[in-house]
Amino acid sequence: MHDDRQLIEERLRRALMERIKPAVYGETVPLRAEIWHAPGEPVPPAEALAASYAPAPIGTAWGPAWGTAWFRFSGEVPAEWTGRDTTDVEAVVDLGFSGGPGFSAEGLIHTTDGIPLKGLHPRQTYAPLSLLEPKNGRVEFYVEGAANPEVLGPRGFQPTTLGDKPAFDTQPGGTPIYRLARADLAIFHAEVWDLILDLEVLQGLQEQLPASEPRRREILRALSRALDVLDFADVPGTATAARAELAEVLSRPAHASAHRLSAVGHAHIDSAWLWPLRETRRKVARTVSNVATLAEEYPELVFAFSQAQQHAWVRDNYPVVWDRLKKAVAAGNIVPVGGMWVESDTNLPGGEALARQFIHGKRFFLDEYGIDTQEVWLPDSFGYTAALPQLVKLSGSRWFLTQKISWNTENKFPHHTFWWEGLDGTRVFTHFPPIDTYNSDLSGRELAHAQRNFAENGSATRSLAPFGYGDGGGGPTREFVAAAHRVADLEGSPRVTIEPPAAFFAAAESEYGAAAPVWSGELYLEIHRATYTSQAKTKQGNRRSEHLLREAELWSAAAVVAGKLADYPYEELDRLWKIVLLHQFHDILPGSSIAWVHREAEATYAEVAADLEAIITRAQSALVDEGTGTHEVVFNAAPHSRHGVPALGASARSGDAAAATIDGNVLDNGLLRVTVDDRGLVTSILDVEAGREVVAPGNAANLLQLHVDIPNMWDAWDVDPHYKNTVRDLTEVDSVSLDVLDGVATAVVQRSFGDSTVTQTLRLQPGARRLDVECDMDWHESEKFLKAAFPLDVHADRWASETQFGHIFRPTHQNTSWDAAKFEIAAHRWVHAGEPGYGLAVVNDSTYGHDVSRTTRDSGGTTTTVRLSLIRAPRFPDPQTDQGRHVVNYALVVGAGIAEAVEEGYRINLPERVVAGGIASVDPVVAVDNDAVVVEAVKLADDRSGDVVVRLYESRGGRASATLTTTFDLTGVDEVDLLERPLSARDRSANTVPLALRPFQILTLRLRR
Ligand SMILES: [Zn+2]
């Protein structure tokens, strides 16, 4: 039984597809097409324009995967068209697009002078003749075609070698993957195009209305009448009459209580993902060109453009596009948002690095556009750290936007507009668009979903909708803008207004700011939990770089302040920071990009490390290069002293403790007695002072556990709960050898399993309360997950893990679905589990993934098991993920509170450096007399005034008073924000500054010399 509605919908669908849409373009004349196959990586336009072109009839194959072809299109505009408005004639080019926008071939139209004009994408295949500026009736232009392959093929997440960097140099050519499909000049019938928009908007609206709504019947009748008057033999000639039948239903105003949507044009461009960084530079240029062209036609267009790095790519590589971008920003069509260098991951970047994301992002927008962005824009990152609200506020921003939490698999997040409270108590006004996408098409279905889904209905009336094709889809289309006009004030639809994000936030905050609910703590994403572990070398590169940057800034500042180095390496540090920040993008650091991206990242991190080592060596040598003695000077970049070497300073190591010993199979340093059995497992750790066994009875610590790890969907991204069901304890051993080496009690344990081997070196240093493990893995598994387990005899109800500028607690139980969903989490340098008066920490120098669980033993005691996630082996998008050799270091810190966890976390990541020098010690630039107050960064001010900038934070979650002392003459102190802008003057007395910090407070001081 078909009711009226179904009949009308079926009639409309067929008419649109077969009759009306094909009538948008009338008469056409073919363009002459020629092609030049660029031999390898992309070349500058000048080189391409000078190449020799061959004829390229429709059907010409082009582009091996990742290859580039340049097309030259030319033709005469027919004389009989010349009376027409040039906006009614368009060039239409289809490069053979397949797949969705952003995941297929793309093109960038250039003039005959090599100036980029507009992108070409699967849903944006036209260029108005006015843009192409024909001369004497003749049009000629070039298109740079990028043969970006569909890495995500029709069968979804299948292993593919399409993500490898092609060997253009050694294997020229390659199989073409696209064929030129269309190149015409065509008459564009605007009236037909408008009719399509009318029909689609009304159809999308009526299908969302309840069957009982009179409005729905009214729209159906109007649609039916419009089709009645449309003559399929002359669609252009009757389109106006058909539209007249729709005018009345399109003119009815929205209900007084209709939801209000702020529509913001957007293109979520992943800075790298299923394509390499070099392609993103081109994707950005195409998208910005499209948006600038669209804004000329629709001056009301607003496009939110995040990621300062992408703006910088335009500036540095496309001067003409940069001019258009700057003009569009000045006109308000393109709105810089986000205030970050990239849309970074926020689970994994270290504290200082996350601060620098804001510093470099906001500063770019200030310097280039004079705009102090207020809204942080992170629609797609994989969970949000509890450290963010304070950083957002200290960067001078007010609002936060994400959408990703709608991806939660277990729990629906309860709010769309709320105050988000961070770990220190700072609150930031936050919005999750209830439209549940950052690539909206503003269809009736999506608009109705946003209105229905909005959790604050009844209390608030507004939400935001980012619309447009991302990732090289070219951003918003003219169809989306035209659809937005039709739903601006339309009965049955939410009211849609194209406006900047700041306008939305200001209105939403004024409407709801006083009453909005509060969400406290991290915004944990209940999916993509394997992104804390996948692509181990990328993660290790990030961690190493962050700590080398700390050292490079600290020692360079110390050397300049001491008058021993003339120049602080401002430019070099700025360049290196930006490389590290770029690689924290939410598909690079999380390990979810193609092989090309990650292999390149490893090479880049190696270069960054070499450059930073050179800066550090230069500064340290300058600091000790005077006097006549010969000293072994130990540099300590950690924020706490060790072996008598002051924090942030250098001196000779003071008297070492007596050597550790080995007795039978027991490693002993007088503080700890560690038993390694003949399986190489740690069956006992006795804390001598506390008189306490640390390993849970009947268990072994540092146990390697191998899980089968086949996620249901997203290989590199996900570890699903079922992975725990299949586990193999690696207890078989190839060899165990114990020895005392240089006073260090050492056990070397070698194991083989599958196609892999692991050699672990356990070290008990003299005087240490720490059992160090160096884990050297030759990893050749597929779809496996390796963890190191520490079953500990402590009754821990909750456990702490380090995050940026502090730590957060999570329960060890799984009482609620919210607790259970956190079965794998990201920690930084340490995790801690303890009971009153006694605890343990596990610290690491390279890894992020952890899980902690607890069981009750028959005796009634509690075993708390802390596990580090060492390595995975997913097959998509990089089928070779993590194959090969990896060395990671971790340690169990025995009898540790949070304070010791913080200290050892820094130490394992900042090994001391021994430098031969003429003088025996280097005083710290600054010293703080309370270990709870941690110095996170010491640097010279970015304004090159020579002021010293010190960033500190309270690290234990308590109140802390301290005195900061400088070794230089202090003439003034300001508290500043992250961008080093003054907040308030601070008291000082001589060279000391009194400090009082609230729990987890971040404090940045500008110290004038
Ligand atoms: Zn993304």
Side-chain angles (χ1 to χ4, degrees):
M1 272 283 282
H2 285 175
D3 61 14
D4 283 1
R5 179 192 153 209
Q6 255 178 310
L7 283 170
I8 295 168
E9 285 182 341
E10 283 169 14
R11 182 183 175 202
L12 176 63
R13 188 173 53 242
R14 186 161 184 203
L16 275 169
M17 188 172 61
E18 296 181 8
R19 311 296 180 121
I20 309 176
K21 287 190 174 177
V24 167
Y25 288 112
E27 240 180 290
T28 65
V29 294
L31 288 164
R32 172 181 160 80
E34 297 160 285
I35 190 167
W36 172 64
H37 300 278
E41 283 292 290
V43 300
E47 192 178 321
L49 267 53
S52 77
Y53 286 69
I58 297 304
T60 296
W62 67 279
W66 303 116
T68 296
W70 282 78
F71 296 87
R72 178 163 60 209
F73 297 107
S74 56
E76 308 289 328
V77 184
E80 59 271 29
W81 294 4
T82 46
R84 286 186 167 269
D85 187 334
T86 47
T87 57
D88 288 348
V89 178
E90 294 184 345
V92 184
V93 175
D94 182 345
L95 297 174
F97 300 118
S98 62
F103 302 90
S104 177
E106 294 169 55
L108 181 56
I109 298 174
H110 290 70
T111 66
T112 50
D113 298 325
I115 293 170
L117 289 177
K118 183 184 176 301
L120 289 174
H121 303 91
R123 306 277 164 80
Q124 317 213 36
T125 56
Y126 70 96
L129 197 60
S130 53
L131 188 72
L132 301 172
E133 293 184 355
K135 290 181 188 67
N136 304 322
R138 188 169 187 281
V139 66
E140 180 173 331
F141 59 96
Y142 288 79
V143 172
E144 182 195 36
N148 299 340
E150 289 181 65
V151 175
L152 192 56
R155 286 167 59 232
F157 293 84
Q158 300 295 317
T160 170
T161 55
L162 282 173
D164 296 345
K165 184 175 185 178
F168 283 131
D169 300 337
T170 54
Q171 297 155 34
T175 313
I177 57 173
Y178 293 105
R179 282 176 189 280
L180 181 66
R182 180 175 183 182
D184 293 325
L185 290 179
I187 301 279
F188 175 74
H189 291 301
E191 197 65 13
V192 177
W193 181 84
D194 273 317
L195 172 64
I196 293 167
L197 267 299
D198 290 352
L199 293 168
E200 287 185 336
V201 165
L202 287 169
Q203 161 59 17
L205 172 61
Q206 74 80 18
E207 74 177 4
Q208 296 297 323
L209 295 172
S212 57
E213 277 265 331
R215 171 72 168 155
R216 179 180 194 167
R217 315 295 305 179
E218 182 186 72
I219 293 172
L220 285 165
R221 291 271 153 74
L223 290 171
S224 186
R225 285 197 311 272
L227 293 176
D228 291 341
V229 301
L230 193 67
D231 178 359
F232 285 172
D234 182 16
V235 173
T238 53
T240 303
R243 291 192 72 201
E245 297 297 330
L246 304 172
E248 198 196 339
V249 287
L250 274 170
S251 69
R252 297 282 170 78
H255 295 302
S257 56
H259 184 64
R260 290 170 186 275
L261 271 159
S262 301
V264 180
H266 187 49
H268 178 76
I269 304 179
D270 290 298
S271 288
W273 180 27
L274 301 178
W275 47 86
L277 284 167
R278 70 95 155 134
E279 191 54 34
T280 317
R281 295 187 188 104
R282 299 202 294 179
K283 284 176 183 280
V284 170
R286 295 178 201 119
T287 299
V288 171
S289 301
N290 267 0
V291 172
T293 300
L294 193 63
E296 283 160 15
E297 197 178 349
Y298 297 94
E300 69 278 25
L301 179 67
V302 172
F303 178 79
F305 185 15
S306 65
Q307 312 202 56
Q309 169 71 87
Q310 296 188 356
H311 294 245
W313 280 334
V314 175
R315 181 192 62 189
D316 299 342
N317 300 294
Y318 294 90
V320 175
V321 183
W322 174 239
D323 283 344
R324 295 184 81 190
L325 171 55
K326 279 192 294 188
K327 280 194 194 104
V329 169
N333 294 119
I334 296 185
V335 180
V337 293
M340 297 177 77
W341 187 247
V342 294
E343 288 184 18
S344 79
D345 182 83
T346 80
N347 292 314
L348 311 178
E352 189 58 27
L354 199 53
R356 301 294 170 112
Q357 288 286 356
F358 288 99
I359 293 165
H360 286 286
K362 291 215 29 151
R363 187 170 291 142
F364 182 94
F365 296 138
L366 274 166
D367 289 350
E368 299 293 349
Y369 307 127
I371 291 176
D372 193 351
T373 57
Q374 294 295 298
E375 59 289 88
V376 176
W377 184 276
L378 282 176
D380 191 33
S381 301
F382 308 151
Y384 303 91
T385 167
L388 266 177
Q390 189 178 192
L391 290 170
V392 169
K393 191 161 184 194
L394 285 174
S395 77
S397 293
R398 296 171 60 188
W399 303 307
F400 184 80
L401 177 136
T402 179
Q403 183 280 318
K404 199 69 180 181
I405 303 296
S406 70
W407 285 46
N408 272 6
T409 52
E410 283 88 5
N411 298 285
K412 183 169 165 64
F413 195 81
H415 317 300
H416 287 105
T417 303
F418 58 100
W419 288 98
W420 178 24
E421 182 179 295
L423 81 170
D424 72 311
T426 301
R427 290 178 176 181
V428 56
F429 193 71
T430 297
H431 181 64
F432 290 174
I435 203 158
D436 283 346
T437 173
Y438 44 79
N439 303 315
S440 174
D441 57 8
L442 300 180
S443 63
R445 189 183 58 76
E446 288 189 351
L447 298 180
H449 175 78
Q451 177 167 283
R452 266 198 310 270
N453 190 38
F454 186 49
E456 280 68 38
N457 270 332
S459 307
T461 63
R462 294 168 183 278
S463 70
L464 185 146
F467 69 97
Y469 293 115
D471 281 340
T477 62
R478 56 184 172 184
E479 286 80 10
F480 294 164
V481 179
H485 288 162
R486 284 162 174 78
V487 289
D489 188 14
L490 182 63
E491 185 188 348
S493 169
R495 280 197 179 85
V496 176
T497 308
I498 295 178
E499 60 184 350
F504 160 77
F505 272 110
E509 188 176 350
S510 100
E511 173 187 70
Y512 195 46
V518 176
W519 180 269
S520 172
E522 68 178 326
L523 296 168
Y524 178 87
L525 181 65
E526 296 175 350
I527 192 169
H528 295 359
R529 302 167 181 89
T531 58
Y532 322 144
T533 304
S534 297
Q535 297 288 2
K537 285 198 170 72
T538 300
K539 291 176 166 63
Q540 191 165 49
N542 176 68
R543 183 75 71 81
R544 291 270 63 70
S545 302
E546 289 178 347
H547 289 85
L548 289 170
L549 280 160
R550 171 193 174 97
E551 288 192 83
E553 289 185 340
L554 167 65
W555 302 128
S556 296
V560 172
V561 170
K564 295 180 174 183
L565 196 64
D567 303 312
Y568 186 80
Y570 292 105
E571 268 106 27
E572 188 67 348
L573 288 168
D574 183 77
R575 180 183 71 84
L576 292 164
W577 261 118
K578 285 172 178 167
I579 293 172
V580 172
L581 298 178
L582 166 59
H583 287 79
Q584 293 176 341
F585 176 74
H586 66 257
D587 283 307
I588 304 180
L589 182 53
S592 45
S593 282
I594 53 174
W596 188 345
V597 174
H598 289 290
R599 293 310 97 73
E600 202 168 74
E602 289 158 24
T604 302
Y605 281 129
E607 289 168 18
V608 166
D611 291 348
L612 288 168
E613 291 284 358
I615 294 172
I616 293 165
T617 300
R618 187 174 74 118
Q620 291 183 330
S621 301
L623 279 164
V624 297
D625 185 21
E626 74 178 37
T628 53
T630 337
H631 302 277
E632 277 203 340
V633 191
V634 179
F635 280 83
N636 175 21
H640 310 94
S641 66
R642 60 175 160 199
H643 309 311
V645 181
L648 317 176
S651 70
R653 203 186 273 118
S654 67
D656 284 341
T661 60
I662 289 182
D663 181 11
N665 61 348
V666 178
L667 287 57
D668 191 339
N669 69 356
L671 298 171
L672 303 181
R673 271 182 216 135
V674 177
T675 305
V676 179
D677 73 1
D678 54 11
R679 300 170 299 167
L681 299 176
V682 177
T683 50
S684 166
I685 301 173
L686 184 67
D687 180 340
V688 176
E689 230 174 302
R692 190 173 165 143
E693 172 59 47
V694 165
V695 180
N699 284 271
N702 190 39
L703 173 69
L704 293 176
Q705 296 189 297
L706 187 66
H707 293 270
V708 173
D709 176 20
I710 305 177
N712 291 347
M713 173 92 180
W714 303 77
D715 290 13
W717 293 260
D718 288 353
V719 55
D720 288 324
H722 60 76
Y723 91 97
K724 280 195 178 176
N725 302 349
T726 317
V727 62
R728 176 181 158 201
D729 292 349
L730 301 181
T731 54
E732 300 89 353
V733 68
D734 300 340
S735 65
V736 182
S737 61
L738 279 62
D739 208 349
V740 178
L741 301 168
D742 294 333
V744 179
T746 305
V748 180
V749 181
Q750 191 166 343
R751 303 180 194 284
S752 308
F753 53 93
D755 296 323
S756 305
T757 56
V758 174
T759 304
Q760 291 196 311
T761 305
L762 284 60
R763 293 192 179 93
L764 188 59
Q765 306 270 355
R769 300 188 56 81
R770 206 172 100 168
L771 176 65
D772 292 302
V773 181
E774 180 190 296
C775 188
D776 187 337
M777 299 174 278
D778 190 22
W779 176 252
H780 297 281
E781 302 305 301
S782 178
E783 300 179 313
K784 299 285 194 309
F785 193 1
L786 184 67
K787 292 207 164 217
F790 290 88
L792 304 171
D793 190 6
V794 285
H795 180 80
D797 198 45
R798 61 179 193 167
W799 59 294
S801 65
E802 192 194 24
T803 188
Q804 298 89 351
F805 299 103
H807 56 271
I808 61 169
F809 289 100
R810 299 183 183 88
T812 54
H813 58 69
Q814 304 200 331
N815 279 358
T816 70
S817 58
W818 294 86
D819 302 328
K822 295 175 185 161
F823 60 85
E824 177 84 9
I825 65 91
H828 288 188
R829 293 165 290 206
W830 57 267
V831 297
H832 179 269
E835 58 194 37
Y838 198 83
L840 299 109
V842 175
V843 298
N844 75 80
D845 79 343
S846 305
T847 67
Y848 295 89
H850 290 78
D851 72 277
V852 175
S853 58
R854 77 180 203 223
T855 53
T856 302
R857 303 188 295 268
D858 289 345
S859 64
T862 301
T863 301
T864 302
T865 302
V866 176
R867 298 201 307 167
L868 284 110
S869 306
L870 295 178
I871 200 149
R872 296 182 73 233
R875 299 195 304 153
F876 184 89
D878 173 8
Q880 296 299 315
T881 305
D882 285 337
Q883 302 298 299
R885 183 155 179 243
H886 302 266
V887 181
V888 304
N889 292 288
Y890 54 89
L892 179 70
V893 189
V894 177
I898 295 284
E900 288 75 23
V902 172
E903 292 183 18
E904 295 298 339
Y906 274 100
R907 281 187 190 129
I908 195 171
N909 284 276
L910 290 162
E912 55 191 31
R913 292 171 186 270
V914 182
V915 180
I919 53 168
S921 66
V922 176
D923 288 337
V925 182
V926 294
V928 179
D929 66 356
N930 180 346
D931 278 348
V933 179
V934 168
V935 175
E936 179 68 0
V938 176
K939 60 191 281 290
L940 294 194
D942 292 342
D943 62 7
R944 306 195 180 187
S945 58
D947 295 344
V948 175
V949 169
V950 177
R951 189 154 19 255
L952 318 105
Y953 69 102
E954 195 292 314
S955 64
R956 297 176 188 171
R959 214 161 285 267
S961 300
T963 302
L964 178 143
T965 307
T966 64
T967 48
F968 54 88
D969 286 338
L970 190 58
T971 62
V973 185
D974 278 326
E975 182 181 345
V976 293
D977 72 1
L978 294 182
L979 277 77
E980 303 174 6
R981 299 176 291 198
L983 295 173
S984 62
R986 283 290 191 130
D987 293 339
R988 72 181 167 90
S989 139
N991 293 339
T992 65
V993 184
L995 304 175
L997 279 77
R998 57 184 161 73
F1000 297 126
Q1001 183 185 351
I1002 302 167
L1003 178 65
T1004 308
L1005 298 176
R1006 176 192 279 267
L1007 308 170
R1008 287 195 291 279
R1009 295 191 279 149

